[in-house]
Amino acid sequence: MAPLTERMQDYLPLLITGLWRTVAVSLLALILATALGLVWAMLRTSRNVWLERPARFIVEFLRGIPILVVLFYIYFVMPEIGIDLSAFQAGVIGLALTYSCYIGETFRGGIEAVDRGQVEAAKSIGMRHGKMMRRIILPQAVRIALPPYGNNMVMLLKDSSQVSVISVAELTMQGKMLASSTFDNMTVFTMVAALYLCLTIPLNIVMRQVELKMGKSR
């Protein structure tokens, strides 16, 4: 067997290719999940039961289904009704749908944690609901929701490995294929773990700095 450093140099290009695919899947899924999560949060905090109840049902429904089942359903079942998506598209949508529920609950908690006295004061001066949300509620809700939102980001990044089950060639899939062809499991999966840490540790540090900065500005 070749020396360790030589093997690592041989494996690294393939793993880096998978790493970029992991970043792409995670980033697109996070953008979609954040946008949809904000919609869920707004609907869940609405006083209109015709908006709140369907949103609550959808959120609880998706939270109750394992992410692997969601991915299988989108990739294998949807083509039977004429919706044919690539593995990459199915992976992004599956992650986004699942994590939009968790992010939505995070945003909802932030909105509901805002002092009701401020809301009543805004209403008393005739401020419209949309303007009140933009100027009073959402800025404070973002500060409150930021720590759990950061946790959701890290969890989504790690759960992007789940899309390997529908043949998306991200980091975990590249590692599995490399290990099966070289039988060098220890080296390959140690490198895979190290590359994930290269993503998650800086992300945690950045989120911590953002939290501290927002805390000081507050």
Side-chain angles (χ1 to χ4, degrees):
M1 184 176 287
L4 177 61
T5 55
E6 185 177 329
R7 281 180 281 142
M8 292 178 66
Q9 289 175 356
D10 291 340
Y11 302 158
L12 193 58
L14 287 174
L15 295 179
I16 291 295
T17 300
L19 181 70
W20 286 119
R21 184 61 61 90
T22 291
V23 171
V25 169
S26 301
L27 185 59
L28 290 173
L30 179 65
I31 292 170
L32 291 175
T34 301
L36 189 54
L38 186 57
V39 173
W40 296 143
M42 299 295 287
L43 294 177
R44 289 293 311 274
T45 55
S46 173
R47 293 186 177 180
N48 186 333
V49 296
W50 297 104
L51 296 176
E52 190 275 333
R53 288 181 180 176
R56 179 172 59 184
F57 173 79
I58 293 171
V59 168
E60 295 300 329
F61 179 79
L62 289 173
R63 288 175 68 186
I65 301 176
I67 189 170
L68 287 178
V69 177
V70 174
L71 291 171
F72 286 150
Y73 199 92
I74 294 173
Y75 189 60
F76 295 114
V77 178
M78 298 299 280
E80 296 182 9
I81 59 174
I83 303 175
D84 195 2
L85 300 173
S86 68
F88 183 86
Q89 293 170 330
V92 169
I93 292 172
L95 282 172
L97 283 176
T98 299
Y99 271 87
S100 71
C101 300
Y102 298 107
I103 291 174
E105 290 300 282
T106 296
F107 288 157
R108 181 176 70 88
I111 291 171
E112 292 181 345
V114 174
D115 184 8
R116 301 306 300 175
Q118 298 183 43
V119 176
E120 296 301 325
K123 290 180 179 178
S124 68
I125 62 173
M127 187 176 289
R128 293 174 179 253
H129 181 74
K131 188 176 182 180
M132 178 175 63
M133 290 294 293
R134 290 195 308 273
R135 293 193 175 184
I136 296 176
I137 297 176
L138 288 181
Q140 296 181 74
V142 168
R143 292 191 184 98
I144 297 169
L146 189 60
Y149 179 75
N151 291 335
N152 285 328
M153 290 174 61
V154 174
M155 291 299 297
L156 189 154
L157 176 61
K158 293 190 293 183
D159 275 347
S160 66
S161 62
Q162 304 276 16
V163 302
S164 64
V165 300
I166 55 173
S167 303
V168 178
E170 45 70 68
L171 180 55
T172 300
M173 172 62 82
Q174 292 283 19
K176 286 161 61 176
M177 292 191 298
L178 196 55
S180 65
S181 62
T182 63
F183 302 101
D184 192 4
N185 295 305
M186 179 177 290
T187 303
V188 170
F189 287 114
T190 299
M191 292 178 68
V192 169
L195 289 172
Y196 272 113
L197 288 173
C198 288
L199 295 177
T200 57
I201 291 176
L203 182 58
N204 281 323
I205 293 172
V206 169
M207 291 304 301
R208 179 58 180 164
Q209 292 300 315
V210 172
E211 290 173 32
L212 291 174
K213 186 175 181 180
M214 294 188 73
K216 289 179 180 178
S217 66
R218 185 177 181 184

